[in-house]
Amino acid sequence: MMTLKKLALRAVFAGTAVLGLASAQAALPIQQWTLANGAKIYLVSTNALPIVDVQIDFDAGSRRDPAPQAGLASVTSAMVEKGVRAGKNGEPALDQNALGEAWADLGASFDVSAGTDRMSYSLRTLSDPALLGKAVTLASRELGEPSFPDDVWLRERERINASIKESNTKPATIAGRAFAQAVYGVHPYGQEVTEETLARIDTVAMRQRYQQLIVPCRAKLSIVGAVTRTEAESVAVTLLSRLPAADSCAPLPTIAPVAALAAQKDERIPFDSAQAHVFIGQPGYPRKDPDHFALTLGNYVLGGGGFVSRLTNEVREKRGLTYSIYSGFAPGLDAGAFRIGFQTRPDQAEEAVKMSREVLAKFVAEGPTESELKAAKDNLIGGFPLLLDSNRKLIGNVANIAWHDLPLDYLDTWTTRMNAVTAADVKAAFARKLQPARMVTVVVGGK
């Protein structure tokens, strides 16, 4: 007899073969409503594949970590997958191995991760009612009844400590840490897990954090797949059913915004390595900023477009100072960093830094040419359908809309809004966001 796992995999592969025949998913409407417990639901119902993807996001990322316990969000998310306690409905406790086997038998998956802003839970399962119900029930246990076993945490902490020690021997790690601290200062975006902060984290802290932040009224659920609205609501209710109801859902404490840099900061860190690691940047912008489209297009011209970008042309092609160079923004709930990054020979680092700053300053002062802007639009708009050609990609986009409170028609109007950006818009947006004379520069490598 064929197992549930084999049936699941066969259906997934069969569905994948017809995915390309599905209609353009950007046109699929997003339904949004709020459950009685306060959770917000965002649904795209599509029968292109017999699959259901769910992402549940909470404001429980590392920015909510106490500074002495930096890394608490990350390790808490990892420990959720290490076992569940006995269920409220009489189900037996499951350790990590038993959980893995249970998911394998269903041909489904459940993952937990934590970023700077949010903690995310991701479920992928077939839409067949027999499998969907079992997968949702198991996910509800993992979400609402994690056991946080002490013995497993002690082993995990030793493993993470070893990883931290190894990372601290790498110039890329040192450069990234120095850059984050210089750009963000005391803001939580600049916090990083260390051996000292890890030593202060125990399973008691994980349970307390979970109880405070992982509650139904703070959840945003994005659902994409072969389910109706009624079925999606049932999935959402079941997934959150084992979380304790909050006494109240008052707003979480406000986090002070990332402060603008008052002056240029330069840091040179000696390191015996074949390549110097260089970061140049400053605080950027929050995702809700109306300049997002202009900044996205402008960054493609500056350093986000690979071999067709100005930085690559000036620093690599004309002068051979680096093999690759990039620029990028990392917008979040707050002003994630703008960054130029590259590696170069230590004896060429200062020349490469000087040239990169000059390219940046000229771009901020003048903006893109009309031909550069057209090429950027052609590439980004031409590639837009590839961002929506699977359930997995679509769920990411829907979750992004939910998390940042973007308009429900965001995907439908994306191309129009990109096309409407002018060269003058890009120039003005970059002038508002970047100050080339007040940048952080970190160089790790050389004497």
Side-chain angles (χ1 to χ4, degrees):
M1 180 178 292
M2 189 171 291
T3 66
L4 287 176
K5 178 182 178 183
K6 290 180 179 178
L7 283 167
L9 293 175
R10 172 176 288 187
V12 169
F13 292 144
T16 302
V18 302
L19 181 58
L21 302 177
S23 59
Q25 298 206 38
L28 294 173
I30 300 175
Q31 302 177 59
Q32 197 278 319
W33 69 98
T34 302
L35 298 180
N37 59 18
K40 295 182 178 180
I41 314 300
Y42 295 74
L43 168 66
V44 171
S45 183
T46 170
N47 292 314
L49 286 175
I51 290 175
V52 178
D53 282 288
V54 183
Q55 181 168 322
I56 312 172
D57 292 316
F58 295 88
D59 185 352
S62 62
R63 75 190 192 119
R64 294 284 174 193
D65 289 351
Q69 294 178 313
L72 179 56
S74 177
V75 299
T76 300
S77 67
M79 285 295 293
V80 168
E81 300 184 70
K82 304 302 182 184
V84 297
R85 60 183 184 270
K88 68 177 185 179
N89 296 327
E91 304 100 330
L94 301 173
D95 62 14
Q96 183 179 7
N97 291 333
L99 270 177
E101 291 174 359
W103 285 117
D105 287 342
L106 291 172
S109 64
F110 187 77
D111 302 295
V112 189
S113 62
T116 304
D117 292 326
R118 52 182 154 169
M119 186 175 288
S120 302
Y121 302 77
S122 300
L123 169 66
R124 163 164 276 214
T125 178
L126 289 173
S127 58
D128 177 83
L131 293 170
L132 177 62
K134 292 178 181 179
V136 169
T137 297
L138 183 58
S140 74
R141 294 197 62 195
E142 202 163 333
L143 172 63
E145 298 169 343
S147 57
F148 297 116
D150 289 300
D151 58 335
V152 174
W153 168 237
L154 293 177
R155 293 197 300 270
E156 282 294 296
R157 185 161 60 185
E158 289 303 311
R159 183 188 62 78
I160 298 170
N161 265 324
S163 178
I164 291 173
K165 290 177 181 178
E166 181 185 5
S167 293
N168 288 338
T169 67
K170 299 178 179 178
T173 299
I174 297 170
R177 181 182 301 126
F179 179 80
Q181 291 174 349
V183 168
Y184 296 123
V186 298
H187 191 275
Y189 274 12
Q191 294 177 178
E192 290 207 26
V193 61
T194 66
E195 294 174 73
E196 290 73 24
T197 65
L198 199 63
R200 300 187 187 103
I201 297 173
D202 56 20
T203 56
V204 173
M206 295 178 200
R207 293 186 183 96
Q208 289 176 340
R209 189 183 203 283
Y210 216 80
Q211 185 175 13
Q212 293 166 357
L213 301 178
I214 311 302
V215 292
C217 62
R218 303 195 193 284
K220 290 188 174 183
L221 291 90
S222 302
I223 304 173
V224 171
V227 287
T228 64
R229 174 168 173 155
T230 300
E231 291 167 337
E233 177 151 342
S234 176
V235 166
V237 169
T238 301
L239 284 171
L240 300 175
S241 63
R242 298 175 192 245
L243 287 172
D247 295 333
S248 67
C249 213
L252 292 171
T254 300
I255 297 174
V258 176
L261 296 179
Q264 180 174 303
K265 298 180 182 180
D266 291 310
E267 190 166 355
R268 304 294 189 273
I269 302 174
F271 196 94
D272 184 13
S273 60
Q275 294 279 297
H277 291 249
V278 181
F279 292 129
I280 303 169
Q282 66 171 85
Y285 67 97
R287 179 58 186 81
K288 64 184 179 182
D289 194 293
D291 283 335
H292 174 72
F293 287 91
L295 293 166
T296 299
L297 279 165
N299 182 68
Y300 182 91
V301 176
L302 174 61
F307 285 103
V308 300
S309 72
R310 283 198 190 182
L311 283 168
T312 296
N313 185 53
E314 295 294 334
V315 182
R316 171 193 156 125
E317 297 299 325
K318 289 185 178 180
R319 295 167 178 83
L321 295 173
T322 183
Y323 180 76
S324 66
I325 184 170
Y326 68 89
S327 68
F329 291 93
L333 292 181
D334 209 323
F338 165 78
R339 181 191 313 238
I340 294 172
F342 60 89
Q343 297 176 39
T344 187
R345 286 202 333 250
D347 61 306
Q348 297 181 147
E350 295 308 320
E351 182 184 0
V353 167
K354 178 176 179 293
M355 181 50 56
S356 299
R357 284 173 166 171
E358 288 178 0
V359 173
L360 173 62
K362 180 176 173 144
F363 186 80
V364 172
E366 300 177 1
T369 65
E370 292 295 339
S371 61
E372 286 176 325
L373 183 61
K374 182 181 184 305
K377 287 182 178 181
D378 288 346
N379 184 280
L380 293 176
I381 293 173
F384 181 67
L386 299 178
L387 303 178
L388 305 168
D389 63 358
S390 70
N391 261 38
R392 195 179 298 279
K393 292 179 183 178
L394 189 54
I395 188 70
N397 279 282
V398 174
N400 182 58
I401 290 169
W403 185 249
H404 293 290
D405 293 320
L406 301 177
L408 295 183
D409 65 352
Y410 175 80
L411 297 177
D412 297 299
T413 61
W414 190 93
T415 297
T416 300
R417 296 181 70 180
M418 274 290 189
N419 266 323
V421 175
T422 66
D425 293 333
V426 174
K427 177 184 174 182
F430 269 74
R432 283 190 288 268
K433 298 301 183 295
L434 299 184
Q435 298 79 42
R438 298 203 304 269
M439 290 272 174
V440 166
T441 301
V442 173
V443 180
V444 176
K447 299 180 180 180

